Structure formats: structure tokens, C-alpha cells
Amino acid sequence: MMEGPKKVVGVLLSLIVLSAGFLDYWSYSQAFHTEPGIWMDVVGGRQTRRTSIGLE
């Protein structure tokens, strides 16, 4: 009898996780297409004001 509710919860949890991943990718994609070089300092290992947290 508990198989039904567990299955529903599992499906809902999976949808939530997959949706969060998709929305994160969508946000990254929009930022990348707006400014293609936005992540190159991070990929290259250079620290800038944009990538440093609390450091001036």
C-alpha cells in the first residue's frame, strides 16, 4: 500500500531536481549568450573582482 505514495514522492522529487538543473542551465546559457567571455577568467584561473567574494 505504501508503494503508491513512495512512487509519487519519488517522481515529484525527481521533477523538482531536474527542473532546478534545467533552470540553472538556462540561466547560464542566457548569461553566456549575452556576454560570451563572462566565464573565461574563471576557466583560466584568474581571480577578478567579479569572481572574488568579499576581497577588494
Side-chain angles (χ1 to χ4, degrees):
M1 184 158 178
M2 289 299 288
E3 300 248 349
K6 283 185 180 180
K7 194 174 213 179
V8 170
V9 168
V11 168
L12 289 176
L13 187 58
S14 296
L15 285 173
I16 290 169
V17 170
L18 290 173
S19 296
F22 177 76
L23 290 175
D24 185 47
Y25 170 75
W26 187 261
S27 174
Y28 158 77
S29 179
Q30 286 182 332
F32 180 77
H33 286 292
T34 301
E35 186 180 339
I38 194 169
W39 299 109
M40 292 314 294
D41 56 340
V42 176
V43 172
R46 293 182 300 275
Q47 187 174 13
T48 64
R49 283 187 181 209
R50 191 171 52 211
T51 59
S52 62
I53 299 173
L55 301 174
E56 296 281 336

